[in-house]
Amino acid sequence: FQADERAHVLGFYDLCRHKDILRHLAMQDWLKFATGYNGSGKATEYAVRIAEAFALAKTTLDEWLPSMPAPGATITAKRATFLYEGPTP
């Protein structure tokens, strides 16, 4: 898991697949996912945290993705910097 981000993500995926909880992610059933991943002890607390993180990520992506160029489009260095770093104050 600690080799790099890719290894970490693949390890997480393999664990979720092994525990048969990927379907709960697909259905956005955070309580079932949290229970399957961590057990029932703090599943409700974890489900709330996951739901909040998902909502934040979704909002961020919904705002960011429309500004992305179409696949295969040529972009300027200035546009690439904006996409990477965000607007300059």
Side-chain angles (χ1 to χ4, degrees):
F1 286 151
Q2 295 181 8
D4 58 27
E5 291 86 0
R6 182 177 186 279
H8 189 88
V9 170
L10 291 174
F12 173 76
Y13 173 80
D14 287 344
L15 178 67
C16 291
R17 188 179 58 180
H18 176 74
K19 290 186 165 207
D20 194 27
I21 56 176
L22 289 172
R23 59 196 161 102
H24 303 313
L25 283 178
M27 295 184 301
Q28 298 176 24
D29 188 335
W30 311 127
L31 183 59
K32 285 184 181 177
F33 174 77
T35 301
Y37 188 78
N38 287 320
S40 60
K42 292 190 175 186
T44 302
E45 178 184 338
Y46 292 146
V48 169
R49 290 181 182 184
I50 294 167
E52 289 171 351
F54 179 82
L56 177 60
K58 185 172 180 345
T59 300
T60 302
L61 285 173
D62 287 347
E63 292 172 359
W64 186 68
L65 286 177
S67 70
M68 293 298 295
T74 302
I75 62 171
T76 65
K78 184 176 180 180
R79 179 77 173 139
T81 300
F82 171 80
L83 293 172
Y84 182 73
E85 298 175 359
T88 308

